[in-house]
Amino acid sequence: MRMKVILEPCDAGGYTIYAPSLPGCISQGETCEEALANIQEAITLYLEPAEDDFLLNGQALVQEIIL
């Protein structure tokens, strides 16, 4: 999966990074490389379903797809 992220330098040093297509998915790092690694982890967690996402009635099917 490809996703665009925005990397901005912070006034206090380091970088803030976020994924515009995922509201609220934001991270930071002391270096560009650290910020990129951190946002990858944040995106993975953002897209991971929570257990309470599966509160379904008895007729619903849960399917997993690969993007």
Side-chain angles (χ1 to χ4, degrees):
M1 174 189 307
R2 290 177 174 257
M3 186 168 299
K4 291 188 179 180
V5 295
I6 309 296
L7 188 68
E8 297 176 338
C10 296
D11 293 336
Y15 296 87
T16 298
I17 189 166
Y18 62 96
S21 60
L22 302 174
C25 189
I26 187 168
S27 193
Q28 62 184 26
E30 291 298 318
T31 65
C32 290
E33 294 78 15
E34 182 181 359
L36 287 166
N38 291 342
I39 197 66
Q40 287 176 335
E41 181 180 4
I43 289 168
T44 299
L45 292 171
Y46 186 100
L47 296 175
E48 187 175 278
E51 288 299 319
D52 61 352
D53 288 346
F54 295 116
L55 298 176
L56 307 171
N57 66 35
Q59 297 176 336
L61 298 173
V62 176
Q63 296 288 321
E64 186 172 305
I65 62 170
I66 298 173
L67 300 175

